[in-house]
Amino acid sequence: MQVPLWFALLAVGYLGVKLIRPPAWLIGVLLLGGFLLADSVLAPAINALVK
């Protein structure tokens, strides 16, 4: 069974928020930080680390 990546991320994110209950500011910082890092000069270095 193949599940789209966006659906898997949405499900994991929903369960994480429901079960762990992180503060809203932390969720915002993680989302904004990830968005900004993905379009920065550090993106190739992060990509190499992840692979």
Side-chain angles (χ1 to χ4, degrees):
M1 180 169 104
Q2 293 183 345
V3 178
L5 179 61
W6 65 268
F7 184 74
L9 290 176
L10 186 68
V12 169
Y14 177 77
L15 289 174
V17 168
K18 281 296 208 185
L19 296 175
I20 299 173
R21 303 265 184 190
W25 65 265
L26 181 59
I27 296 170
V29 165
L30 289 174
L31 288 173
L32 184 62
F35 178 75
L36 292 175
L37 276 177
D39 198 30
S40 70
V41 296
L42 297 175
I46 295 170
N47 191 24
L49 274 173
V50 172
K51 286 185 178 181

